Amino acid sequence: QRLKHRYDVEILTREPKIPYRETILQKAEASYKHKKQSGGRGQFAEVHLRVYPLPREITTQEQLEAEFANKKHFEKMRSAHYDPALNFAFIDHIVGGTIPNNFIPAIEKGCKEILERGVIAGYRIQDCAVEVHFGKYHDVDSSEAAFKTAARHAFKKAFAAARPTLLEPIVKLEITVPSKYTGAILGDLPTKRAHVENQDSLPGDMTVIFARAPLGEVARYAAQLGGITQGTGSYAMELSHYEMVPANVQQQIVSKSQLKDDDDE
């Protein structure tokens, strides 16, 4: 209102989006045939792939090759590409030229588009590996675009079959309040799925409470803390790690997201 009054600037406000992540809990496989014939040149591509959960301890290409993507696990593997930002691996396990080499990058690109877009609720995918092991092509009708589309659909199908789950950001909280409010804060934190780790006395009859809680539960904590302590409490928070979302909470997040499928069929 002040900005509107002083500078005639309209401000739209909304709560920041919680950066959930999507991942999978088991191996699954799927295939997709993309075929279109509409006068002139058609489109044809068939992609068969498998998805695997990728251990979060992997952080480099060298580690990926030593612990996961190697000939011991993938006998005729030709190459593996690692993306450290999303802990994602793309494994080329094509045998006998069932998909020509020049289309492999398009398949990887199609999978990476789904990584950014998510499958179950529209959040980025992490801790996942894709192995492309078979496919079919047409001398005339196959193209990079056709293989990219087939890869997107195959990846989505496999991901949905691999027990997909949401991960939520867990934050470290450091809450400083007058000692008389300690009991009220300790009673309120469990309602936010928070885990109290420690507390300490500070000079001036103050208490500091250390806890961890899901970011989604404490996104509005400033107002709630102010209400409990009559404006005398303060807190700091920083990201700790990601953890699996409980099933009932995941259901709510997924139903709110109503992810629309805007893929080209």
Side-chain angles (χ1 to χ4, degrees):
Q1 284 171 330
R2 251 182 241 162
L3 283 165
K4 171 73 179 152
H5 179 66
R6 288 183 192 170
Y7 308 110
D8 199 27
V9 175
E10 293 275 5
I11 302 290
L12 288 174
T13 62
R14 59 171 165 268
E15 278 186 50
K17 196 177 177 188
I18 306 296
Y20 295 103
R21 295 282 181 262
E22 299 184 12
T23 192
I24 51 174
L25 299 179
Q26 66 184 38
K27 171 186 165 184
E29 59 183 291
S31 62
Y32 188 85
K33 184 190 285 187
H34 178 65
K35 196 175 178 182
K36 260 188 179 173
Q37 200 71 48
S38 51
R41 187 176 165 182
Q43 289 183 36
F44 180 85
E46 188 174 326
V47 172
H48 294 238
L49 51 77
R50 299 183 185 102
V51 295
Y52 304 83
L54 194 60
R56 224 178 288 179
E57 295 72 46
I58 291 175
T59 54
T60 63
Q61 177 82 26
E62 293 72 29
Q63 208 181 348
L64 173 81
E65 289 170 8
E67 295 176 23
F68 186 84
N70 49 48
K71 298 281 169 116
K72 186 177 150 194
H73 294 127
F74 304 97
E75 196 186 337
K76 295 182 177 170
M77 181 186 98
R78 300 194 303 173
S79 68
H81 298 156
Y82 182 64
D83 178 349
L86 295 171
N87 191 30
F88 170 74
F90 179 82
I91 297 158
D92 174 2
H93 202 191
I94 291 294
V95 181
T98 56
I99 298 176
N101 290 346
N102 55 316
F103 293 134
I104 301 295
I107 295 171
E108 183 173 359
K109 205 169 174 189
C111 291
K112 284 192 162 176
E113 283 179 8
I114 296 298
L115 286 186
E116 288 299 327
R117 209 185 289 181
V119 174
I120 54 174
Y123 295 101
R124 280 169 73 183
I125 291 168
Q126 67 176 43
D127 308 331
C128 174
V130 170
E131 171 211 2
V132 178
H133 62 92
F134 184 69
K136 289 178 184 170
Y137 71 101
H138 186 279
D139 288 332
V140 178
D141 291 345
S142 284
S143 64
E144 286 189 8
F147 270 101
K148 205 162 85 167
T149 300
R152 278 203 306 263
H153 285 285
F155 184 25
K156 278 185 357 186
K157 276 171 73 177
F159 192 91
R163 282 184 61 210
T165 187
L166 284 180
L167 300 170
E168 63 184 348
I170 305 294
V171 292
K172 285 191 268 193
L173 286 171
E174 199 174 302
I175 307 159
T176 308
V177 295
S179 297
K180 63 179 176 178
Y181 296 116
T182 306
I185 296 297
L186 292 175
D188 177 62
L189 283 171
T191 68
K192 297 173 170 36
R193 294 194 285 127
H195 173 64
V196 177
E197 294 181 328
N198 205 353
Q199 68 182 83
D200 219 342
S201 297
L202 297 176
D205 201 26
M206 300 290 278
T207 299
V208 61
I209 296 163
F210 300 93
R212 286 178 202 262
L215 178 59
E217 300 282 346
V218 292
R220 298 175 171 183
Y221 197 54
Q224 292 160 341
L225 181 65
I228 294 170
T229 63
Q230 296 177 359
T232 56
S234 64
Y235 75 102
M237 73 175 164
E238 62 173 290
L239 180 67
S240 167
H241 62 286
Y242 273 82
E243 242 174 52
M244 256 174 70
V245 175
N248 59 326
V249 180
Q250 176 166 319
Q251 242 171 345
Q252 292 167 16
I253 298 165
V254 172
S255 60
K256 266 187 206 164
S257 79
Q258 291 173 333
L259 188 59
K260 59 180 187 298
D261 191 354
D262 54 359
D263 223 339
D264 42 351
E265 292 297 335

